[in-house]
Amino acid sequence: MDKNWIMEKIKNQDLDIYSTNRPPNMPFWNEIVCGDTADLIKSIPSDSVDLIITSPPYFQQREYDNGGIGNEKKLGDYIFALIKIFRECVRIIKPTGSIVFNIGDKYEDASLLLMPYRFAIAATEQCEVTLVNNITWIKSNPTPRQFKRRLVSSTEPFFHFVKSQNYKYFLDKFLKSVNQLKVNENGAGRNIGKKYFSLIEQSGLTQEQKEKAKSALENVIREVHSGEIQGFRMKIRGIHSEPFGGQEGGRKIQLDKNGFTIIRIYGNPLKKDVINAPVESLKNCPHPAIYPVKIVEEFLKLLTQKGDIVLDPFIGSGSTAVVASQNERVYIGFDISMEYCLYAQKRLGIVQHKLFI
Ligand SMILES: C[S@@+](CC[C@H](N)C(=O)[O-])C[C@H]1O[C@@H](n2cnc3c(N)ncnc32)[C@H](O)[C@@H]1O
């Protein structure tokens, strides 16, 4: 980024968001703070944070510093510890805010514990929240394991909770680039409608009707590629069933007269509760369990605006803060491990250096 870009932003007061949005009594501001979240979170004022997004330590997965959460012997104690933090999360988010928790599962005596779902049920039963969605992260590169008697786990849930129905929601921003990419750039997008050309050739239409059908097909494919429409279906006489079960109507008339009809599909691509992303690893990172910045970024776009405050109460390697900073949100991150806090600060420094110099 060059200096002109920074000056332009200051002129447009884009950077003012960082100071003017600071609520009174907010103790942390664009900071990574080392300590126990159970203590630190108490100092954050009620109704002051726009988004809490985090991946708490998983049950008995690994030993974090200073006896942090996850080391409990009993499943119930782990859920209890998480709910204690979650209750505070509910207190500090604004009525327009959201909480997103990502939790992994665990096997015990060869049986899956369904830990994430036990947490989600406890959260909805014990706290005043609504569970908006369970968004499934599909890992394109799960840890390769060769089990003989079970399949490799390759998904994890991200639970989206709110405390009022007035939550901010920018649906058009969610997975926007991915959806556009599908239609415009990848193979599936380019091949759209190709099968119909061969079906037209195979059909019993006259040569003139075939030419007209192919020309109409080329036009509609262009409309999809330019983003004018989302997709289409084509019906060819003798190949496909008649529209509306063969009842008289505009499309049936077209089919009889021209030998084909095209049904255009308008509107946006379906926004589904799944997100594909690889498991990430960073060179020289001391943290063993990083979550994908791509997923955090999608939630930030879906649930927040520029200048909003984003808290990760278990910041680890700093992924949430990095995404918040890159997207001009205010970040606050807590972690019990000094090593991870120092790493997160270093990672942020590199990102911000790139952004502002
Ligand atoms: C699953 S990791 C988070 C990883 C993070 N999402 C990332 O991308 O790097 C959970 C983190 O919670 C921290 N932790 C565990 N108990 C804690 C506690 N009581 N207070 C604050 N942090 C804690 C651990 O040190 C660990 O870094």
Side-chain angles (χ1 to χ4, degrees):
M1 297 297 164
D2 63 14
K3 284 210 173 85
N4 290 342
W5 179 83
I6 299 170
M7 293 315 294
E8 194 56 30
K9 285 193 100 49
I10 293 171
K11 204 171 75 200
N12 294 334
Q13 298 191 317
D14 280 4
L15 294 180
D16 271 358
I17 52 177
Y18 290 115
S19 50
T20 51
N21 273 8
R22 187 166 186 162
N25 311 326
M26 178 59 90
F28 314 110
W29 200 249
N30 284 326
E31 274 174 77
I32 304 291
V33 189
C34 187
D36 189 334
T37 293
D39 301 328
L40 292 169
I41 203 166
K42 286 195 194 123
S43 59
I44 297 193
S46 300
D47 301 329
S48 63
V49 172
D50 294 284
L51 172 66
I52 295 173
I53 178 161
T54 195
S55 176
Y58 299 175
F59 180 56
Q60 293 181 358
Q61 195 76 7
R62 35 185 72 88
E63 290 253 332
Y64 288 113
D65 278 7
N66 304 330
I69 292 178
N71 299 323
E72 296 78 5
K73 296 273 169 298
K74 289 191 197 140
L75 191 149
D77 294 343
Y78 168 73
I79 298 285
F80 182 81
L82 272 191
I83 291 291
K84 203 172 134 198
I85 305 284
F86 187 78
R87 219 184 284 284
E88 280 296 294
C89 292
V90 178
R91 177 185 66 77
I92 66 173
I93 56 155
K94 296 176 183 170
T96 50
S98 286
I99 305 173
V100 177
F101 265 49
N102 157 237
I103 304 182
D105 218 329
K106 164 102 183 141
Y107 276 87
E108 197 173 81
D109 300 329
S111 184
L112 201 52
L113 289 175
L114 295 181
M115 198 52 103
Y117 309 97
R118 289 176 193 250
F119 161 77
I121 291 167
T124 47
E125 281 178 356
Q126 297 175 33
C127 308
E128 294 281 302
V129 287
T130 306
L131 180 55
V132 178
N133 271 124
N134 164 16
I135 296 103
T136 301
W137 165 24
I138 300 175
K139 302 175 187 179
S140 46
N141 58 344
T143 315
R145 308 284 293 275
Q146 296 297 341
F147 299 118
K148 291 265 183 304
R149 307 280 293 162
R150 67 167 137 115
L151 307 174
V152 175
S153 306
S154 60
T155 61
E156 274 184 31
F158 275 75
F159 297 115
H160 173 204
F161 300 96
V162 293
K163 72 174 178 190
S164 98
Q165 287 307 307
N166 201 18
Y167 57 92
K168 286 187 184 178
Y169 208 62
F170 307 101
L171 187 57
D172 55 323
K173 300 261 174 18
F174 185 69
L175 288 177
K176 195 174 178 179
S177 51
V178 177
N179 286 327
Q180 273 171 354
L181 204 72
K182 258 193 196 140
V183 172
N184 295 332
E185 286 175 19
N186 75 17
R190 271 200 298 274
N191 286 332
I192 192 161
K194 284 266 158 71
K195 67 171 182 191
Y196 290 121
F197 284 108
S198 54
L199 291 175
I200 292 169
E201 284 307 329
Q202 291 163 32
S203 73
L205 304 193
T206 65
Q207 200 50 41
E208 193 187 346
Q209 285 174 329
K210 281 184 184 175
E211 291 310 318
K212 277 191 179 158
K214 281 191 274 183
S215 154
L217 181 55
E218 277 161 11
N219 283 341
V220 77
I221 289 173
R222 260 196 296 276
E223 287 172 37
V224 175
H225 284 161
S226 71
E228 258 174 87
I229 58 170
Q230 192 212 324
F232 68 92
R233 302 268 179 283
M234 187 172 199
K235 283 188 178 279
I236 304 162
R237 194 174 58 220
I239 299 268
H240 299 106
S241 60
E242 294 190 339
F244 313 119
Q247 289 163 28
E248 285 304 324
R251 294 208 179 280
K252 182 164 181 335
I253 294 167
Q254 281 175 18
L255 204 63
D256 290 342
K257 189 170 150 235
N258 304 327
F260 71 94
T261 180
I262 289 177
I263 303 140
R264 285 173 169 74
I265 301 166
Y266 294 91
N268 296 318
L270 273 190
K271 302 272 179 167
K272 291 189 266 182
D273 57 358
V274 285
I275 186 158
N276 293 281
V279 178
E280 281 179 18
S281 64
L282 291 170
K283 209 174 159 202
N284 300 327
C285 174
H287 203 286
I290 302 173
Y291 67 6
V293 290
K294 177 193 155 180
I295 297 186
V296 180
E297 185 157 35
E298 292 303 335
F299 279 111
L300 246 69
K301 288 179 183 164
L302 180 68
L303 303 170
T304 64
Q305 293 163 295
K306 271 187 196 177
D308 281 356
I309 304 168
V310 179
L311 166 74
D312 186 338
F314 303 100
I315 192 83
S317 67
S319 311
T320 305
V322 164
V323 179
S325 175
Q326 284 174 329
N327 288 276
E328 297 177 58
R329 275 66 167 168
V330 175
Y331 62 86
I332 304 169
F334 301 149
D335 206 286
I336 206 161
S337 158
M338 181 56 87
E339 187 189 10
Y340 298 155
C341 286
L342 290 174
Y343 178 81
Q345 279 159 356
K346 194 170 129 199
R347 193 175 161 198
L348 263 163
I350 294 168
V351 169
Q352 287 166 342
H353 186 73
K354 271 197 198 139
L355 189 65
F356 289 114
I357 290 181

